Amino acid sequence: MTKTSAPKILSDADVDAKMSTYVPASLPAETWEAWEDEVADMARAAEPSSFQDLTYVLGSICAFLAWSTPTHGDDDLAAQVTPDQITRYLAVLEQGGTATGTRENRRSQLFRVQRGLAGRPARKAIARGRSPFAPPYSPAEVAALRAIDAPSVTLAKLLALLDDDSTAAESVVAALEGIATEAMCREFATAGLKFDRRRWRPTWASRLVRNDLDFATLARSHGFSRNDCERYLQHHPAAPGTIDQLRG
């Protein structure tokens, strides 16, 4: 039986300590003074695991509320964090040209808040002894896929993503949507592999990271998200950069 352990969650005292020094960039000082306690409760609902995680969550909440409250008021801030509202907010960010990585981070953090406020676990338990991120396919495994005779259009498209240094995260996400899993499973089985769509994005990310490209550069040029960086570091600890570089 696989054992799971609950993710580490900051204590209320730790959250209070952070709140005493936190100053949001997206809200006026007088607004923050009025909202601080309610925002703190919303952040606790997201079950932040570290001070850094809490900082990102607070930033996402404040930016979201700066967008939502002009329309919905500020009588009940938590009630505004709904799936529909989050989706509308993310669409506005996309229309405004916000980077893919930043939008993905905001989506993840806001839905954690929403789940927590709804009384559901905000974060999934992690299986002990296993990485929370799916590993990339190795160069040898990718080579086995390339050796398949007459690959399908879909497989050829996925492999082409790895060959184009200009490919951005949005292209990878779009290519993975709607893939016929059974068909992919058959092709991967031909190469002696098991198809797992979760492994293709980290495979793409792994092939982009080079000694002359740090994560901040990749965030700007290819839409790398914080999760892309965390996935990479999980399996390639010696890397040119850290996730601390990203402040999206």
Side-chain angles (χ1 to χ4, degrees):
M1 179 182 296
T2 301
K3 296 182 179 180
T4 60
S5 58
K8 175 186 175 183
I9 300 173
L10 285 183
S11 68
D12 285 346
D14 286 335
V15 174
D16 290 341
K18 178 63 180 179
M19 295 300 296
S20 68
T21 61
Y22 183 74
V23 179
S26 54
L27 297 175
E30 61 273 16
T31 301
W32 177 238
E33 183 177 358
W35 292 0
E36 182 176 353
D37 290 343
E38 191 169 355
V39 170
D41 289 339
M42 295 165 69
R44 287 189 181 92
E47 300 178 346
S49 60
S50 66
F51 286 111
Q52 182 183 67
D53 184 29
L54 175 58
T55 300
Y56 295 145
V57 169
L58 286 169
S60 291
I61 293 172
C62 291
F64 172 81
L65 293 175
W67 167 80
S68 68
T69 51
T71 300
H72 299 281
D74 60 0
D75 289 339
D76 189 348
L77 300 178
Q80 298 179 33
V81 188
T82 65
D84 285 346
Q85 284 292 94
I86 294 171
T87 300
R88 292 190 185 100
Y89 170 62
L90 294 170
V92 170
L93 293 184
E94 183 175 11
Q95 292 167 4
T98 300
T100 301
T102 300
R103 297 199 313 273
E104 289 185 351
N105 292 332
R106 294 278 171 86
R107 175 184 290 108
S108 173
Q109 290 148 8
L110 289 171
F111 273 108
R112 279 171 53 192
V113 173
Q114 187 270 326
R115 288 192 296 270
L117 291 173
R120 303 199 307 274
R123 300 164 67 231
K124 295 180 179 179
I126 298 172
R128 290 178 183 170
R130 298 177 60 190
S131 166
F133 298 117
Y137 287 102
S138 69
E141 290 172 326
V142 172
L145 291 170
R146 294 186 188 278
I148 293 177
D149 291 330
S152 67
V153 173
T154 302
L155 178 57
K157 183 177 180 180
L158 291 180
L159 291 170
L161 292 173
L162 306 182
D163 298 328
D164 185 354
D165 284 345
S166 66
T167 300
E170 288 181 337
S171 299
V172 180
V173 172
L176 291 171
E177 289 180 352
I179 284 182
T181 303
E182 290 185 7
M184 280 290 96
C185 285
R186 288 194 295 270
E187 285 198 287
F188 273 61
T190 300
L193 301 172
K194 181 178 180 180
F195 173 64
D196 185 343
R197 73 178 67 232
R198 297 173 305 165
R199 297 182 64 186
W200 203 256
R201 179 163 174 162
T203 301
W204 162 79
S206 294
R207 293 176 70 85
L208 276 178
V209 179
R210 299 190 297 271
N211 289 335
D212 59 338
L213 287 178
D214 62 24
F215 291 151
T217 300
L218 289 168
R220 292 190 297 269
S221 61
H222 292 78
F224 248 49
S225 70
R226 190 171 295 108
N227 279 345
D228 286 322
C229 301
E230 289 177 339
R231 288 186 182 102
Y232 186 89
L233 287 171
Q234 183 72 42
H235 301 286
H236 304 82
T242 72
I243 58 172
D244 292 341
Q245 295 171 313
L246 302 184
R247 291 291 183 266

